[in-house]
Amino acid sequence: MEIHREDPSVVRRYASHLADLPGEALTAVSQREGARILRLAPQGGVPIDVLDLSTLSTTGTFKDCVACVSTARAARGGHRVAAAQSSGNTANALAAYAPRAGLRLVALHPPASRGRVLPHLAHHPAVTFVEVDAPEDEIKRLLREATAAADVPALPPLRDQIDANSLRAHYLYDAMDALGDRWHWHVQALSSAYGPFGFYHGWQAATNGSHGSSAAPPRFLGVQQEAVAPYAEALGAAPAPDSRPMLEPTLFRRTLTPDLADRMRRLCRQTHGTVRRLPNDRYLHWEPRAIRLLEQVGIPLTRDPDGTPRERAGLYSLAGTLEAVTTGLIPEGQRVLVVYTGGSGPAADTYTPHHSVTADQAPALLKRLLTA
Ligand SMILES: Cc1ncc(COP(=O)(O)O)c(C=O)c1O
């Protein structure tokens, strides 16, 4: 059952909280960045609500908020060209928003993300996607070097990720007031963890600022897939054997800067939270139930032609919650908010890359694309 909704845009509704970015700049770029809260059937005595950041947004993930803020800020800074690297969703979102902001976009992605790319966005005349056959760190390095040489911004910088994700804290704070409930836990699937960092940053602002009162933040539970769990390891989990397959290419960040690891340790200390690695067999055990629970409340999953979920990032937070209820990490009676970050976006045909290059070929191509 849907219990709360902000539609069409959390960004427009809470734009006044972004001090240096006038509301008009955001409104000019904003499309649909809505959110809603749905109440699931309780599981093991634990009431579970889902924050759906997928079905009411332009490209189907929470990255639309990020792209909206980031392209608006880049355009306001006088830029006309921007670049990005992404496992797919951020690139889709930027491709939807950059043309509206008057920006030309060059987006790099690894071959594993090809199935995530939405062809109708990637083929916009102001957008060029480049598939780079290289590991994540190498793609990041190529982007850093090419953008520095061409004096072009790499979107979204950390600040835009934090700002955009902070807006949902203001939304949740208002929803909490309206519903008369609070959540004891906030659960999200992690790659770089900018979503939760931004949310908790916004929570602090919401509770100290215009809302007047203060409220303890919900405990944070981060969920990582078995094969890629650097935050869980930074908090003490043993490394997984190399043989474990990656089930979700979107959740791909393998290496953390010391700053990110410290931020997560601090966040977990402050909220009495933790990050857990969800073994593949446990994820697959919960997947059918997670899909059923979401479909029961009207969140349809986007599937590939063979019936498998097109993307599992959003499902991971619900599967991780079901695991945490079963193991007793989340005790009976504690209310949980599961963040459904994506997974119900538009179904799309297969995308054929504009450019497919090796790491050696990338610098010359990027130079040409960024300076054209
Ligand atoms: C749908 C979805 N969920 C979760 C994540 C992880 O987000 P973060 O990088 O903020 O940890 C991503 C990142 O690309 C995503 O696209």
Side-chain angles (χ1 to χ4, degrees):
M1 183 184 49
E2 181 178 305
I3 57 172
H4 205 270
R5 168 184 280 240
E6 182 64 47
D7 193 23
S9 177
V10 169
V11 174
R12 267 178 275 164
R13 170 78 175 77
Y14 294 99
S16 61
H17 294 282
L18 299 182
D20 71 320
L21 204 50
E24 312 86 75
L26 287 164
T27 304
V29 176
S30 165
Q31 295 170 60
R32 197 177 187 197
E33 305 87 28
R36 58 185 184 148
I37 302 170
L38 299 116
R39 183 148 292 171
L40 303 189
Q43 301 295 305
V46 171
I48 300 179
D49 293 337
V50 173
L51 174 64
D52 170 15
L53 300 178
S54 185
T55 62
L56 306 184
S57 78
T58 309
T59 69
T61 77
F62 76 118
K63 300 294 184 180
D64 288 329
C65 281
V66 177
C68 181
V69 169
S70 197
T71 56
R73 192 171 265 150
R76 226 182 126 65
H79 295 287
R80 289 292 164 260
V81 184
Q85 65 82 33
S86 158
S87 57
N89 289 333
T90 302
N92 283 330
L94 287 167
Y97 284 79
R100 264 249 320 217
L103 291 169
R104 195 160 62 71
L105 175 74
V106 177
L108 315 187
H109 67 87
S113 298
R114 196 185 282 192
R116 296 280 175 280
V117 176
L118 297 170
H120 67 284
L121 297 171
H123 291 140
H124 187 286
V127 171
T128 310
F129 274 38
V130 180
E131 183 173 281
V132 184
D133 191 6
E136 172 209 350
D137 284 351
E138 183 76 356
I139 298 179
K140 284 197 164 92
R141 183 186 62 76
L142 289 163
L143 182 80
R144 228 178 8 253
E145 291 177 2
T147 50
D151 196 20
V152 158
L155 302 186
L158 177 61
R159 177 190 184 199
D160 295 349
Q161 304 247 22
I162 300 287
D163 277 358
N165 284 298
S166 74
L167 298 178
R168 100 166 92 110
H170 295 281
Y171 167 60
L172 287 175
Y173 207 82
D174 281 350
M176 210 170 67
D177 259 3
L179 295 167
D181 279 334
R182 65 175 289 250
W183 295 284
H184 300 93
W185 291 85
H186 188 91
V187 186
Q188 187 159 341
L190 301 184
S191 182
S192 294
Y194 297 133
F197 290 144
F199 164 70
Y200 280 98
H201 177 81
W203 182 272
Q204 212 163 14
T207 56
N208 291 337
S210 56
H211 297 281
S213 62
S214 76
R219 292 178 72 174
F220 177 59
L221 172 59
V223 182
Q224 296 212 281
Q225 64 175 321
E226 184 170 13
V228 189
Y231 280 114
E233 288 168 19
L235 292 171
D242 283 345
S243 57
R244 295 292 187 268
M246 202 160 148
L247 295 186
E248 175 48 66
T250 298
L251 305 174
F252 75 125
R253 185 175 194 129
R254 286 181 188 278
T255 39
L256 302 179
T257 58
D259 176 57
L260 286 176
D262 282 349
R263 251 178 198 259
M264 183 54 76
R265 286 191 203 98
R266 227 171 20 246
L267 173 61
C268 289
R269 213 171 33 245
Q270 284 164 355
T271 72
H272 307 287
T274 186
V275 178
R276 293 290 162 95
R277 153 189 279 133
L278 187 60
N280 287 355
D281 60 341
R282 298 306 296 160
Y283 171 81
L284 292 169
H285 169 80
W286 292 118
E287 185 180 86
R289 184 182 305 183
I291 293 172
R292 209 166 48 246
L293 286 168
L294 293 173
E295 287 182 341
Q296 274 168 3
V297 294
I299 300 180
L301 196 81
T302 306
R303 295 174 191 265
D304 280 334
D306 67 2
T308 53
R310 173 155 279 237
E311 161 167 341
R312 290 170 156 144
L315 288 172
Y316 255 95
S317 47
L318 182 49
T321 299
L322 297 172
E323 181 75 359
V325 169
T326 298
T327 59
L329 173 65
I330 300 180
E332 216 176 303
Q334 295 214 334
R335 183 172 290 282
V336 182
L337 186 72
V338 172
V339 186
Y340 185 64
T341 46
S344 304
D349 296 337
T350 312
Y351 144 83
T352 311
H354 293 115
H355 300 279
S356 192
V357 294
T358 62
D360 288 346
Q361 295 165 329
L365 176 65
L366 294 179
K367 182 173 176 192
R368 182 161 66 73
L369 293 172
L370 293 177
T371 54

